Structures are given as C-alpha cells and as structure tokens.
Amino acid sequence: MTDTTDDIAEEISFQSFEDDCRMLGSLLQEVLQREVRSQITEKVERTRILAQSACTMRNAGIEDVAEVLEKQLASEISKMSLEEALILARAFSHYLNLMGVAETHHRVRKQRNDSNEASLSKSCDDIFNQLVHGGVSPDELYNTVCKQEVEIVLTAHPTQINRRTLQYKHIRIAHLLDYKDRPDIGNEDKEMLIEDLVREITSIWQTDELRRHKPTPVDEARAGLNIVEQSLWKAVPHYLRRVSNALKKHTGKPLPLTCTPIKFGSWMGGDRDGNPNVTAKVTKDVSLLSRWMAIDLYVRELDNLKFELSMNRCSDRLSRLADEILEQETSSKDRHENWHQWLGRHQSKQQGAALPSQLPARADQPSCTECIPRIQIMRADYLPKHQDGQDPPMSSPSSQSPFLNGHTIPNGSSGSPSSNSSRLLNQRKMFAESQIGRSSFQKLLEPRPPQRSGIAPYRVVLGNVKDKLMKAQRRLELLLEDLPCEYDPWDCYDTSDQLLEPLLLCYESLQSCGSGVLADGRLTDLIRRVATFGMVLMKLDLRQESGRHAETLDAVTKYLDMGTYSEWDEEKKLEFLTKELKGKRPLVPKSMEVGPDVKEVLDTFRVAAELGSDSLGAYVISMASNASDVLAVELLQKDARLAVSGGLGRPCPGGTLRVVPLFETVSDLREAGSAIRKLLSIDWYREHITKNHNGLQEVMVGYSDSGKDAGRFTAAWELYKAQEDVVAACNEFGIKVTLFHGRGGSIGRGGGPTYLAIQSQPPGSVMGTLRSTEQGEMVQAKFGLPQTAVRQLEIYTTAVLLATIKPPLSPREEKWRNLMEEISKISCQNYRSVVYENPEFLDYFHEATPQAELGFLNIGSRPTRRKTSTGIGHLRAIPWVFAWTQTRFVLPSWLGVGAGLRGVCEKGHTNDLKAMYKEWPFFQCTLDLIEMVLGKADTHIAKQYDEVLVSESRRHLGSELRRELLTTEKYVLVVSGHEKLSENNRSLRKLIESRLPFLNPMNMLQVEVLKRLRRDDDNNKLRDALLITINGIAAGMRNTG
C-alpha cells in the first residue's frame, strides 16, 4: 500500500526516471531474446502493449474500450501454455523490480540535487532553522537534540519477498545507475556501463527467484547484520555529521563526540512469540554472532585508521601508553623465546632417558593433567598459567579436538607412558611450529610495528586495540563452536567503554597537538560508530507470549504444592509475585522436572542472565493485559540471574533487562492505562525501575493485531487513546515513559510515512524518546542504500524533535472526540459484521485470495498461524494483509471506514469532519493513509478474482464489498476536499500509473494460475508460476504485508 519511500511526497524527475525505465526495459528484452524462444518474447511484448492500451483508455475515461481490451488480455493469458505463463510472470516481475530500483535511484538523485541548491525538506538543517526562527532558543534546541533517544528495531517479520541474492544484484544496478549520472563519464565508459548492466540483468534472469527452503532464525539475523554492514555502517557517520553540522550552524555548538540520537535494536533471533524455531541456543548464537561481526567491522576501520595516523607528535599520556604497550610486547616476546629453549632441552632429555621398570601412579592419564586447559582449539593467546604463576611451555590439546593444523590427534590415551609423553611433546612441537608459521604469515600481511619509543605512537596504541579485539573475536569463535575457553578480562574488550577509552585518548592527543582536522576525520567516525553500535551492533530484544510465562509459573506452583498459578485472580497473583520478588532465595527448584515448553522458557531466561543488558535490550511480553504479566517476567528473570550468578561465582554481566508489556488487541489497548497504573502502584516495582532503569517505563503498542481485530480506523483511534492513557498513568507516578510502536510495513498493519506517523502521535507521547519497529521489505527499502538510510535517520530525528518541542495539536473541542468515537463504533461494527460474523466470509477469503498458497514462499522462519485453527482470529496479521494486497482489494486497510464516515456525515457533521481534517494532525494522517491505500486498490482486478475463483453462491459478497470500497472512496474525498485520490501526492499517483501495464497482467495471470493449480495442486511448475506472480505483484505494490 504505502510506498516504501513516500516519507517525502516530493517530485522526482519523471523524464529521466522514464528514460532509465525504458533503458532497463530494453536491456531486459535484449536478455529475453537471447535466453528464450522468439515466439514467447513476442507474446510477452504483445501482452505489454495490450495492457498499456487498456490503461491508457481507462485513464482517458473511455471505460467501454478499456473493458474490451482487458477481456481480450485475460482471454489470451488464459490460453497460454505453462512455459509461456512462467516466462511472462518472470519477465514482468523482474521489470517491476527494475522499476523499483530506478525509482529509488531517482529519489536519491533528487535529494542530492536539492541539497546542493538549498536545505533539503525535513532535513536537520531545515527543521533546526525553522525552530530557531520560530522562537526556540539555541540552548533548548541543542539540549533537546543531545538528549534525544530513538531506537529503530529491525524485525524478521516475513514480508521481504525477494531473495537476498537478488537484493544485492538490485543494489549493484542502483550503483551503476548512479555512475551513469556522473557528468564526467565518456562515451566509452557509457558503453562499458551498459555492458555491466546487461551482465547484471542476465545474472538476475538466470537466478532462481524463489527460496526453496525456509530461512532459519539465524539466517534472518544474518540478513539484519548484512543491512548494518552494507549500509548503516556507512550511513551513521554521515548522518551524525549532518546533525553535528546543523547544530553548529544554528546553535554554535557541534554534537558531542559520543552522543548519538539514534541507535538500533533487533528482534531477529530473539522473537520467539509463536515461533518454536527461536530457541535459547539460537538467541545466544545470534548475540555472539552479532558481537563477532561488530569486532570484524571495527578491525577493518582500525586498519585504515592506523595507516592514516602515522605521525609521531602526540600528548604525554598517549606517549606513556605507547611505551607501556611496547614494554609489554617485548616482555611477551622474551617469554615466548624462553619457552622454545625449554621445549628444546626437554625434548633432548626425553629422547635420552631410559624406560622405567615400573609404571608410576596415574600413568593411564595424559601428562600434566592438572594443567590441561579447557580450550579445545589451541591458540597462543590463550596459554594457561602454571600454578606457580609462570607461563607453561605448552598445554596438551584437549582429547576432544580431533584435528590440529591438518593432523589427526588420537582421542584417549593408550600405550606406554613414554609413548604418551612422546606423543604429547610432538603435538606441542607441531602446535608451536603452526603458531610460528601463522605469525610469519601475519607479518607479511601487516607493516612492521614500531620497535622504538616515540615512533608512530598512534599506530602502537591502535595496534594494541586491534590485538585485544581479535582476541575477543577468537574467544567468540570458540563460544560459537560450543567449546570452552579461558577468559582474561585484561586481554580483550567486552564493553564499548573499554573500546572508547583508547580511541578518545587518541582524539584528545590529536586535538592537543593542533591536529584537530585529523581528529575530526576517520577517528571521529569510528568513535561515533562505537557510540551507536556498541559491541553488539544491535541489542537483541526477547519476545514471548504472556501465556508461556503463566504456564511456566503453573509448573513451579504445582511442584511446590501451591496450586495452579494461572487459575488465581489478579490480586492473588500480584501478592505471590511481589512476595517472591522481595525474597532472596531462588524460586525454581533445581530438581524440578518440566516439559519441553517450560524448559525452553527457563533456558531463555538463563541465557538472558548470562548475556545481560550489555548484549540484550528489552524483554517484550506479547498479548500482555495485566500488571501480573510484567511481574511474572521480572520474577523469572530474577530467579535465573540468581542461579547463573551462583554458578559463575560472581554477578551476572550487565544489568536486568527492561520488561515491556505489549498491548495488542483492542480490549487490551483499552485497559493499558489501568494495567500500567496498577503496576506502578506496587512499591517494589516502582523502586526497581527507579534503581535499575533510570525511572523509565517502556510500553509497546501493537498495530497489526488491533487492525485485524477491529479494522484500521478503530485500531488507530484505540491506539491514540491508549497512548494518552499510558502517558497520563506514568505522569501520575512521576515515571518517564517511552512508547514502543510495533508498526508493520503496510497501512493495514500500522505502516505509513515515518514523518507523518510521528507527527500525528498524541501530545506528550513523544518526549524525546521513541522506539519503533521496521519490518521485512521496509528494512531493505529504507536502509538498504546508505543514501536512503541517511535520509530516513534524519527524518526520524527531525520528526521526534518537532513532536517534542512543538507537539501536535489535541482535538480542538470535545465534540471532535465524540465524533471519533461514533465513527470508530460504526466502523468496528461494520468490519466485524463482515469478517467475523458473516459465516460465508471465511470461505470467500480462502477462495478469492492466494492466502493458502503464501506458505510456499518460504520467506520467514515462523508459522503463518499462532494455533492450528483455520479461523481469521488465529491467522497472523501479515498473511491476512498480504493476501488482500495481492488481489489489489487491500480490504483490511479500508473496510469499515466508509460506513463510519457515512454514518456521521448523514447526521449532519460533514463540516465538522472537514474542520477535523484541516486542524487535527491525527485525523488528517489517518485519512491520508486510507486515501493512499484506495489509490492502489482496483475493483476491476478484484472482480476478476471473484468471477474466476469464487463459488457462484458467494460472489454476491464480493459485489457488496466492492460497493463498500466505492462508498469509502466517496466519503474520504468528501472529507478531505480532494477531487481525486492522492491529489496531494501526484508523484505517487503517477508512479502507480506507470506500473499498471505490468502489474495488471500479473494479476490476470495469477488468477489463471490459481484456477489451474486448484485443479492440480501437486503441479510444482504451476506452483512456481504462482509464487513468481506473487513476487511480481508485491514488487508492483511496493510492499507485501
């Protein structure tokens, strides 16, 4: 529905955009002529011409001719062979994707050109300037920006339909289009560029578009980490420079070096709500992998920085640190040489020794048993210490490690003690030689480090930083292999503060020596990356349904003969939970045997205790409804931390996780404020968040399930009121609040332009802090390219800033709220009467949409339903919206809205609604998003699905719904005052129209393939054709669910 880049409804240069689309289309046709038979390419072209003609007639208002052409088009498609249908589906799908690449490129190009001429709309420079000229003092502006805390949380919700391989190829094409725009490119270079484009398009054509296997949660997490590597890693320093420059221009002070208004979180590998594939082990592995990748990125930056900072002049503090590092390295080298001498002497003694006449005690065990380290992959960095505190010559490898440097090491000990000892010495020698070889190879790769004091001190210090990072990385590799390892906290970095310390020292040294221009370059970018990404890139949230925690406490209370926890009333639950939270003993007995589901919950809390808040973000409780849901998680978290700290013999790393209730259904949203008041009235909890979370309560509101529950309009109004009530509840107790918005990509799931969404929140709900999810295809669309990522980050910053300093207006009068209540009530009744109360609707939904076939897309690791029921209630919101988007009916985004508006208008309140639209940002935003959806809906296409796929006895339901769509369109235009849909966003309307000659045939083809597949559901080729049409329609609609 909403285009992924419609945050700014700015014009693009349609002439150059259309030129690029024609060029890419002709190159694709050239590839087709080479790859497929000429008869098929002629049919593909004839289909395009027919569709283009039909669109032209319909846009001109010549409906009867358009209808004739569309019938002819549908007839020709119905006669295509399976091979022809596959080729057509693939060709149009790829072209729609190429159009999307060109569109994104031209938006970036327009932004770049605009920023060269003047301040870009809604950029930091633009908004800071508006605020200062509007009476905001420079100090207030500066302090508000510096205190801003926005977190963008990337999720693995299954709406990204393109394979990552194809996403990368699309990015390469975008880079080539960018290169084509350079003014200095010559004719020969242009010819070579066209050849490169042909190669990329050929590669795309020859690549399978479909995922043949479901991704694992770790695959999804890797995709998220790749977004950081390919885009955000470059975008963040650029974005922070823009913020800093704009601040300096308008307030006289730059952004503090370690201040970052935006950070990133992730649900990939932590969201276990309804996904049994996300286990405690998966969460731990993803967290460790994220740390490993963070270190890998930092090491690359350090290599570049070492090359840049080659100067000798530095501060005394840095000089002393460099000298200490050199002394330590010299000392370490001497110990290494002494060990080689010891090994040589020991070997010669062993070779000359006589065999003993009697076996000594414990001869069946390997030598030096007491000294065997826990490391199973031997590295020189992890040599254990002898009991006397000296470095040992070399510990024996673990018997569990079957390979060392390509040689097999026999497991177990057999043979005589002398042969065991001889074998041990040979292994030690072999390992030592492998280390020497590795060291020599490393020296070839890197320049020789300074050997004398005062020579290139920055390189000495940064080299030491790199060494510690690489030791930390090697430790992570062992942990990821489930191998035990020694841990010396002085020898590697665990926290971002440890990493920042030497970097800030280098920065201060450069500044003090008059080299500020160097300090403010690559070094500043690295410091800002550390401040933004930390040691984990994105802290991982955990999410689980409230019922799973109740089930776990049921097991505990039954084992302790206390009854069944879930059967207690709310007061009894709170009394029990508060009493246990105040106590100091563990609750869960070690001897308690539990089922696999309960065990998984307990294992997750243990992993959370092991990783702590240094690696993890929030613990989100989905389907939360009461204060006890939060205290239950606090208790399980406390119990796990007691158990883990007891096992470690020291406190758990980091602090406790923030516990965040997620209110999703309409009924839960209505009670959200009451639940938070009850929670904050508990002394223990209030003291807990004051002490451990800086007096901040985080509350999440869900847009997807509320929309599926009551319709988009009612959900929007209930979300608005819930936020107002939650903010008021926290204010009553003097507690700060951060609202976490669980938005989807489509308008049916709360999606929409970021700027518009933030600016329409209730006053006081965005006070410098905000968390928001970015899901599926939106992650790639908004953050896939560094240029678009920078733009999105600026939009988040400026929208939150405006909502904080100049909050949006409340309803002007109480009458407006009453009208909203009435619209919402009528809308909800209309929506539920169709979706939940009409006995024919479920069958109609299954027949009229490809919902049942969506599971074959393999786009996510989680099931499409929370439970096995086939009803709408247990269907996830994503396939619900996805299926209707495919048919171009987009029903979840508008159903009920027309009835609500009509009901109020017929009572004489039309002028009131028009005033609400002009003066109330929330109402205007809600209607604008619905208008945007209606602009993409197509009743003619939806009708074809009904006529071909729906049983005759149910077609009347489709006719009624199409009339309801037209009613919604009529009343939305009446209230907005627009003559046409998307009148206030002509750029979007023109873009939609440009896709229709390819999108319409894809829908017609999907109808035909669905008809054939439902008669022959085991035909894999037909299923492939259907899935390709789904890909293509998603590309044309620019989103999925």
Side-chain angles (χ1 to χ4, degrees):
M1 279 85 52
T2 177
D3 274 46
T4 54
T5 46
D6 286 333
D7 284 332
I8 308 299
E10 54 200 355
E11 297 289 329
I12 66 172
S13 171
F14 272 96
Q15 183 59 55
S16 54
F17 166 67
E18 288 167 356
D19 288 344
D20 275 351
C21 286
R22 274 193 293 271
M23 177 192 69
L24 292 171
S26 65
L27 295 179
L28 176 61
Q29 188 154 8
E30 180 185 320
V31 171
L32 285 176
Q33 288 169 350
R34 190 170 61 247
E35 296 285 334
V36 300
R37 290 184 289 114
S38 59
Q39 298 95 318
I40 298 180
T41 57
E42 288 169 6
K43 279 197 175 182
V44 169
E45 182 60 14
R46 174 175 169 77
T47 301
R48 185 194 67 79
I49 292 170
L50 265 176
Q52 179 72 68
S53 302
C55 290
T56 302
M57 293 297 105
R58 198 169 288 286
N59 288 337
I62 310 173
E63 298 286 336
D64 52 346
V65 176
E67 198 166 324
V68 169
L69 289 170
E70 285 168 355
K71 284 183 178 177
Q72 183 180 350
L73 181 59
S75 173
E76 291 192 11
I77 287 174
S78 69
K79 296 172 185 174
M80 283 186 175
S81 67
L82 179 53
E83 181 191 8
E84 291 168 340
L86 268 169
I87 298 296
L88 178 65
R90 295 191 67 210
F92 280 17
S93 176
H94 284 311
Y95 183 71
L96 286 165
N97 274 302
L98 291 173
M99 283 185 76
V101 172
E103 182 185 327
T104 302
H105 163 69
H106 280 277
R107 287 188 186 274
V108 170
R109 183 189 189 201
K110 179 70 165 57
Q111 291 163 17
R112 185 169 57 235
N113 293 341
D114 285 356
S115 64
N116 289 337
E117 297 168 9
S119 182
L120 187 62
S121 170
K122 298 178 179 64
S123 66
C124 290
D125 187 31
D126 176 38
I127 298 302
F128 293 1
N129 182 60
Q130 287 182 31
L131 289 171
V132 169
H133 283 86
V136 176
S137 71
D139 284 345
E140 183 186 359
L141 173 60
Y142 181 81
N143 291 332
T144 307
V145 172
C146 291
K147 291 176 183 176
Q148 190 176 108
E149 294 181 13
V150 174
E151 188 168 356
I152 299 168
V153 182
L154 310 186
T155 78
H157 285 70
T159 60
Q160 173 51 267
I161 203 161
N162 278 327
R163 289 181 59 198
R164 205 159 74 228
T165 299
L166 293 175
Q167 292 172 42
Y168 286 152
K169 293 178 188 298
H170 295 158
I171 288 171
R172 288 168 67 94
I173 289 174
H175 289 321
L176 289 169
L177 291 177
D178 194 45
Y179 182 69
K180 185 178 75 71
D181 287 341
R182 283 176 47 173
D184 61 337
I185 186 171
N187 289 332
E188 187 176 345
D189 288 335
K190 281 184 180 177
E191 290 175 6
M192 291 170 65
L193 184 142
I194 294 297
E195 290 174 5
D196 287 339
L197 282 170
V198 169
R199 272 188 282 274
E200 290 297 337
I201 294 171
T202 302
S203 174
I204 286 172
W205 182 259
Q206 294 182 359
T207 299
D208 190 356
E209 303 96 323
L210 304 176
R211 292 183 178 93
R212 298 300 175 178
H213 305 283
K214 271 187 173 291
T216 66
V218 176
D219 292 334
E220 292 169 336
R222 274 201 300 266
L225 294 174
N226 284 333
I227 286 288
V228 175
E229 182 180 19
Q230 80 185 26
S231 175
L232 291 176
W233 191 254
K234 301 169 189 172
V236 162
H238 190 178
Y239 149 73
L240 289 172
R241 284 187 181 279
R242 284 194 181 184
V243 177
S244 186
N245 291 341
L247 272 181
K248 192 170 184 179
K249 177 178 176 182
H250 297 288
T251 71
K253 294 178 285 187
L255 188 73
L257 194 57
T258 56
C259 175
T260 176
I262 291 183
K263 292 189 177 181
F264 300 91
S266 173
W267 278 13
M268 302 178 189
D271 182 8
R272 59 237 315 119
D273 175 24
N275 189 349
N277 300 310
V278 180
T279 62
K281 185 180 186 315
V282 164
T283 295
K284 185 173 182 178
D285 285 351
V286 167
S287 180
L288 294 175
L289 182 63
S290 184
R291 280 183 169 268
W292 187 96
M293 188 165 178
I295 291 173
D296 197 55
L297 291 169
Y298 288 135
V299 166
R300 295 183 217 171
E301 294 301 321
L302 283 166
D303 282 336
N304 292 327
L305 195 55
K306 280 170 64 182
F307 181 81
E308 184 175 288
L309 300 184
S310 55
M311 61 291 303
N312 294 337
R313 188 172 57 180
C314 69
S315 67
D316 292 341
R317 280 187 65 199
L318 189 80
S319 179
R320 286 195 298 271
L321 178 60
D323 289 345
E324 289 171 11
I325 292 168
L326 286 173
E327 286 177 17
Q328 290 171 0
E329 288 178 353
T330 302
S331 174
S332 176
K333 185 179 178 182
D334 290 343
R335 286 200 303 271
H336 191 67
E337 289 175 354
N338 291 338
W339 173 76
H340 276 295
Q341 293 172 6
W342 180 92
L343 180 61
R345 289 196 304 271
H346 197 67
Q347 271 189 287
S348 60
K349 287 180 183 178
Q350 284 287 84
Q351 288 168 355
L355 290 173
S357 57
Q358 185 177 353
L359 290 176
R362 298 193 302 173
D364 60 323
Q365 297 181 13
S367 173
C368 249
T369 303
E370 298 88 353
C371 304
I372 294 178
R374 286 179 294 160
I375 306 169
Q376 295 178 321
I377 297 178
M378 296 300 298
R379 295 183 184 273
D381 309 298
Y382 294 100
L383 296 181
K385 301 287 185 184
H386 265 307
Q387 291 177 352
D388 61 5
Q390 299 299 314
D391 283 317
M394 173 59 74
S395 301
S396 67
S398 165
S399 61
Q400 295 176 6
S401 293
F403 295 97
L404 184 62
N405 200 31
H407 298 274
T408 303
I409 302 172
N411 288 327
S413 300
S414 59
S416 68
S418 61
S419 65
N420 284 338
S421 179
S422 176
R423 186 188 305 118
L424 175 63
L425 287 166
N426 285 334
Q427 290 169 4
R428 289 172 174 169
K429 181 180 178 184
M430 191 166 60
F431 180 79
E433 289 169 352
S434 74
Q435 294 301 300
I436 293 167
R438 186 178 300 149
S439 300
S440 301
F441 179 66
Q442 194 68 23
K443 288 175 183 176
L444 291 174
L445 294 177
E446 296 188 0
R448 185 181 177 186
Q451 301 296 313
R452 288 191 296 113
S453 175
I455 303 297
Y458 295 98
R459 288 184 170 179
V460 172
V461 171
L462 295 174
N464 182 254
V465 171
K466 178 184 174 182
D467 288 344
K468 288 186 175 182
L469 284 173
M470 293 188 73
K471 287 173 183 176
Q473 192 176 40
R474 289 196 282 268
R475 175 172 171 261
L476 290 169
E477 289 167 5
L478 295 176
L479 291 172
L480 282 164
E481 295 269 359
D482 287 328
L483 300 172
C485 63
E486 294 293 330
Y487 170 54
D488 183 354
W490 298 101
D491 224 18
C492 57
Y493 292 131
D494 269 343
T495 67
S496 55
D497 287 342
Q498 292 172 332
L499 178 54
L500 278 172
E501 186 179 354
L503 299 178
L504 289 171
L505 182 58
C506 289
Y507 182 87
E508 291 162 5
S509 173
L510 288 167
Q511 291 284 6
S512 67
C513 294
S515 301
V517 66
L518 291 172
D520 292 332
R522 195 184 294 274
L523 177 58
T524 288
D525 288 348
L526 178 55
I527 290 169
R528 284 178 168 160
R529 284 183 174 115
V530 177
T532 302
F533 295 111
M535 296 298 290
V536 291
L537 295 182
M538 301 180 288
K539 284 192 176 182
L540 188 63
D541 280 3
L542 307 182
R543 183 169 77 132
Q544 183 57 280
E545 189 194 358
S546 58
R548 294 290 298 276
H549 307 133
E551 182 185 348
T552 302
L553 288 175
D554 279 350
V556 174
T557 54
K558 286 177 182 177
Y559 183 83
L560 298 174
D561 293 326
M562 297 174 68
T564 304
Y565 169 85
S566 59
E567 295 177 357
W568 299 346
D569 61 28
E570 179 68 4
E571 289 303 319
K572 186 175 180 180
K573 287 178 181 177
L574 291 175
E575 182 185 351
F576 164 74
L577 294 167
T578 306
K579 180 184 174 184
E580 290 297 330
L581 283 164
K582 289 178 179 177
K584 296 184 178 179
R585 64 174 177 80
L587 173 68
V588 181
K590 292 183 179 178
S591 58
M592 185 177 77
E593 294 184 4
V594 295
D597 287 350
V598 172
K599 182 178 183 302
E600 181 54 42
V601 171
L602 294 174
D603 287 348
T604 297
F605 279 103
R606 290 193 185 98
V607 165
E610 291 169 6
L611 296 172
S613 59
D614 290 341
S615 298
L616 303 178
Y619 193 108
V620 179
I621 311 164
S622 57
M623 294 298 172
S625 55
N626 297 299
S628 60
D629 293 329
V630 175
L631 291 191
V633 172
E634 291 286 10
L635 179 57
L636 292 169
Q637 180 175 207
K638 173 205 162 190
D639 197 77
R641 288 178 68 84
L642 284 173
V644 170
S645 62
L648 293 173
R650 55 182 168 82
C652 293
T656 61
L657 305 188
R658 308 185 310 277
V659 179
V660 181
L662 165 55
F663 300 102
E664 300 180 81
T665 65
V666 167
S667 58
D668 287 341
L669 285 167
R670 287 171 178 164
E671 297 300 320
S674 300
I676 296 300
R677 282 185 183 86
K678 186 67 176 177
L679 184 63
L680 295 177
S681 70
I682 299 168
D683 292 340
W684 177 90
Y685 185 76
R686 213 167 49 253
E687 291 167 7
H688 165 69
I689 61 171
T690 301
K691 177 184 175 183
N692 296 303
H693 302 299
N694 299 316
L696 178 70
Q697 175 64 54
E698 188 174 319
V699 177
M700 186 172 184
V701 288
Y703 290 68
S704 297
D705 283 290
S706 57
K708 185 165 70 72
D709 192 23
R712 185 69 263 143
F713 195 94
T714 299
W717 179 230
E718 294 299 337
L719 283 158
Y720 187 92
K721 293 189 296 179
Q723 291 176 68
E724 286 182 318
D725 203 13
V726 165
V727 170
C730 290
N731 289 340
E732 289 167 20
F733 289 91
I735 297 295
K736 295 176 288 185
V737 62
T738 293
L739 287 168
F740 184 4
H741 298 266
R743 293 180 175 277
S746 63
I747 290 168
R749 294 182 50 244
T754 304
Y755 199 88
L756 197 60
I758 295 173
Q759 283 295 289
S760 62
Q761 297 304 308
S765 64
V766 182
M767 295 306 292
T769 64
L770 178 83
R771 291 188 95 210
S772 182
T773 58
E774 291 288 0
Q775 305 179 3
E777 80 277 22
M778 294 298 156
V779 175
Q780 181 66 34
K782 290 184 176 181
F783 304 109
L785 291 173
Q787 304 95 315
T788 56
V790 169
R791 182 69 170 140
Q792 288 297 322
L793 296 177
E794 276 201 279
I795 285 170
Y796 265 104
T797 299
T798 56
V800 169
L801 178 65
L802 278 174
T804 302
I805 293 181
K806 291 191 172 182
L809 297 173
S810 299
R812 190 182 69 195
E813 49 188 288
E814 190 63 25
K815 181 181 181 182
W816 288 6
R817 297 184 74 94
N818 294 335
L819 287 173
M820 280 298 297
E821 286 290 348
E822 191 167 352
I823 297 170
S824 174
K825 181 180 177 182
I826 298 170
S827 176
C828 183
Q829 288 173 347
N830 179 270
Y831 177 89
R832 291 192 65 85
S833 69
V834 172
V835 174
Y836 291 99
E837 295 166 15
N838 187 327
E840 291 185 305
F841 180 79
L842 183 61
D843 289 330
Y844 170 76
F845 170 57
H846 288 310
E847 288 179 347
T849 73
Q851 185 272 325
E853 291 80 10
L854 292 177
F856 294 106
L857 282 170
N858 294 322
I859 59 176
S861 66
R862 73 180 189 179
T864 56
R865 292 182 178 272
R866 282 193 168 96
K867 299 180 181 178
T868 54
S869 164
T870 58
I872 301 291
H874 290 139
L875 180 68
R876 288 189 180 274
I878 288 174
W880 165 245
V881 175
F882 197 162
W884 289 113
T885 306
Q886 284 287 303
T887 67
R888 310 264 295 281
F889 209 15
V890 288
L891 178 140
S893 300
W894 58 262
L895 182 59
V897 176
L901 294 175
R902 180 182 58 208
V904 172
C905 286
E906 287 176 351
K907 291 181 180 180
H909 296 296
T910 303
N911 288 334
D912 291 314
L913 294 185
K914 288 182 177 181
M916 288 165 64
Y917 180 80
K918 288 179 181 177
E919 298 179 36
W920 189 9
F922 164 73
F923 187 70
Q924 185 185 77
C925 171
T926 303
L927 241 62
D928 282 349
L929 292 178
I930 291 166
E931 184 179 339
M932 198 184 294
V933 168
L934 294 172
K936 286 191 174 182
D938 192 313
T939 53
H940 302 285
I941 294 294
K943 184 180 179 183
Q944 291 192 33
Y945 282 82
D946 284 3
E947 289 177 344
V948 176
L949 301 173
V950 176
S951 303
E952 192 170 347
S953 61
R954 298 190 189 95
R955 287 180 194 165
H956 68 93
L957 184 53
S959 299
E960 292 168 12
L961 288 171
R962 287 194 295 278
R963 285 195 295 273
E964 187 65 32
L965 174 62
L966 296 176
T967 299
T968 305
E969 181 180 323
K970 172 186 172 182
Y971 281 95
V972 165
L973 291 176
V974 165
V975 174
S976 67
H978 299 153
E979 292 184 9
K980 284 184 175 181
L981 294 172
S982 302
E983 184 176 279
N984 61 339
N985 195 343
R986 295 178 183 178
S987 176
L988 172 62
R989 193 169 76 231
K990 193 166 182 179
L991 285 168
I992 293 171
E993 289 171 359
S994 69
R995 301 171 201 155
L996 294 182
F998 301 90
L999 186 54
N1000 289 349
M1002 288 292 280
N1003 282 108
M1004 295 177 185
L1005 182 59
Q1006 186 177 86
V1007 169
E1008 177 61 28
V1009 172
L1010 272 170
K1011 183 181 78 173
R1012 296 185 196 181
L1013 187 60
R1014 289 175 182 178
R1015 295 171 182 165
D1016 184 12
D1017 57 4
D1018 291 328
N1019 190 322
N1020 290 329
K1021 287 285 185 183
L1022 269 175
R1023 181 171 290 128
D1024 281 358
L1026 174 66
L1027 298 181
I1028 292 167
T1029 65
I1030 292 174
N1031 282 7
I1033 294 167
M1037 296 292 280
R1038 293 302 306 272
N1039 60 19
T1040 51

